[in-house]
């Protein structure tokens, strides 16, 4: 997404593979103008189980491990 759209350091809605798109560790997800959603998944979109997810307003802290996937919607994700 970053390369196709010439947007370095993109951190908004999308799917991220931990260890490829983002580093393992602690993150803060922050909703944009209302409620946001995140899901930590064991695999790619159609072949995974949910490890953790939440609809939230404001900020939420998450911890992700190498090989997991993170879905972010209506929010930003920032490494802590």
């Amino acid at each position: 997404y970053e390369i196709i759209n010439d947007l370095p350091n993109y951190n908004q809605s999308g799917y991220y593979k931990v260890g490829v798109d983002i580093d393992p560790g602690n993150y803060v997800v922050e909703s944009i103008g209302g409620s946001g959603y995140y899901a930590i998944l064991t695999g790619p979109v159609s072949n995974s189980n949910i490890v953790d997810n939440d609809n939230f307003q404001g900020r939420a802290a998450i911890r992700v491990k190498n090989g997991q996937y993170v879905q972010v919607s209506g929010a930003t994700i920032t490494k802590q």
Side-chain angles (χ1 to χ4, degrees):
Y1 187 91
E2 289 181 352
I3 293 169
I4 292 171
N5 294 291
D6 193 27
L7 294 170
N9 301 316
Y10 180 82
N11 73 336
Q12 295 184 23
S13 297
Y15 288 89
Y16 299 88
K17 183 173 183 181
V18 181
V20 175
D21 301 315
I22 61 174
D23 293 329
N26 296 317
Y27 287 81
V28 169
V29 286
E30 187 166 356
S31 62
I32 300 170
S35 65
Y37 173 78
Y38 74 84
I40 302 170
L41 309 164
T42 59
V45 174
S46 65
N47 187 22
S48 67
N49 293 314
I50 296 173
V51 174
D52 186 21
N53 70 336
D54 194 17
N55 288 300
F56 66 96
Q57 289 186 335
R59 299 173 66 143
I62 62 172
R63 180 175 183 83
V64 295
K65 298 177 184 175
N66 197 37
Q68 291 179 321
Y69 288 74
V70 180
Q71 175 188 358
V72 177
S73 180
T76 60
I77 182 169
T78 306
K79 185 144 175 53
Q80 294 301 294

